[in-house]
């Protein structure tokens, strides 16, 4: 298998396991699939979630680690996801959720397993486009908490993808980055604040 899934930081996993064992946390999540899951549920496939804060047409990117996402499996399928986020005191459970990105992530990971080159799977969030992509990092031994998309890395937009960007199609970062750069609108400064 060419995917080298990194282990999540132990405190991040522990925070998700604690939330899963808490009836209050699960019921407050209001995710019907998680509430209705039959049998035991378990967090699997931890993926570091990076946020693309800035991208330029020349390939310069600024990303930051925003957390770790776990697919929550019940039986033979993922029914929800959970996130743990870094805080000043370590890692803390953030939320449970469900929706189209869960099956889309599973599909993208299955497709990536069929590739011949080894990759380290990560998630890349592009808030300005409401886009999430599976980021296949070309260095499978890299620290999952650091780094930027390299020109040879692959991005697989998850469904639903923004108009004009095909979901589940692997793009080289060098191919997709200029498209993202032109589409993301820089934030408008607030009145009275410096530009």
């Amino acid at each position: 298998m060419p995917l080298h899934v990194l282990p999540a930081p132990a405190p991040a996993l522990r925070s998700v396991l604690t939330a899963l064992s808490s009836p209050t946390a699960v019921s407050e999540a209001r995710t019907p699939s998680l509430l209705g899951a039959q049998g035991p549920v378990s967090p699997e496939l931890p993926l570091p979630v990076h946020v693309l804060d800035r991208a330029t047409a020349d390939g310069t990117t600024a990303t930051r680690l925003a957390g770790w996402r776990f697919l929550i499996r019940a039986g033979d399928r993922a029914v929800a996801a959970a996130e743990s986020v870094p805080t000043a005191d370590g890692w803390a459970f953030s939320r449970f959720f469900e929706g189209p990105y869960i099956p889309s992530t599973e599909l993208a990971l299955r497709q990536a397993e069929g590739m011949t080159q080894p990759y380290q799977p990560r998630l890349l969030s592009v808030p300005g486009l409401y886009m999430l992509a599976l980021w296949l990092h070309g260095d499978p031994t890299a620290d999952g908490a650091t780094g930027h998309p390299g020109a040879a890395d692959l991005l697989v937009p998850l469904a639903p993808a923004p108009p004009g960007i095909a979901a589940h199609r692997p793009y080289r970062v060098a191919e997709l980055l200029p498209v993202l750069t032109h589409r993301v609108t820089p934030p408008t400064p607030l009145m009275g604040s410096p530009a």
Side-chain angles (χ1 to χ4, degrees):
M1 170 152 90
L3 290 182
H4 296 271
V5 178
L6 297 173
L13 175 59
R14 209 169 22 255
S15 74
V16 169
L17 289 170
T18 300
L20 278 172
S21 66
S22 164
T24 304
V26 172
S27 66
E28 285 179 3
R30 294 188 177 91
T31 58
S33 295
L34 186 57
L35 288 169
Q38 299 297 315
V41 294
S42 61
E44 296 181 358
L45 290 169
L47 297 172
V49 180
H50 293 260
V51 174
L52 182 66
D53 287 324
R54 190 185 83 245
T56 61
D58 68 357
T60 305
T61 58
T63 60
R64 63 183 161 78
L65 179 67
W68 281 79
R69 181 172 296 176
F70 301 79
L71 293 180
I72 306 300
R73 188 162 302 282
D76 63 348
R77 69 183 189 96
V79 295
E83 282 191 353
S84 184
V85 296
T87 67
D89 297 325
W91 290 90
F93 171 74
S94 173
R95 65 189 177 123
F96 290 116
F97 61 95
E98 61 182 67
Y101 286 132
I102 304 323
S104 186
T105 301
E106 282 191 303
L107 175 59
L109 287 166
R110 278 195 308 272
Q111 290 172 328
E113 287 174 349
M115 296 180 177
T116 55
Q117 180 178 339
Y119 288 104
Q120 180 190 100
R122 303 173 175 194
L123 292 172
L124 183 67
S125 173
V126 185
L129 293 177
Y130 301 100
M131 178 179 161
L132 186 64
L134 179 64
W135 168 13
L136 299 172
H137 191 53
D139 181 359
T141 61
D143 177 358
T146 61
H148 304 287
D153 290 355
L154 297 178
L155 294 176
V156 182
L158 301 179
I165 298 175
H168 297 285
R169 176 187 180 269
Y171 292 89
R172 292 247 176 245
V173 167
E175 175 188 3
L176 188 57
L177 194 60
V179 174
L180 300 180
T181 302
H182 291 298
R183 289 206 177 176
V184 174
T185 308
T188 304
L190 297 174
M191 297 285 287
S193 66

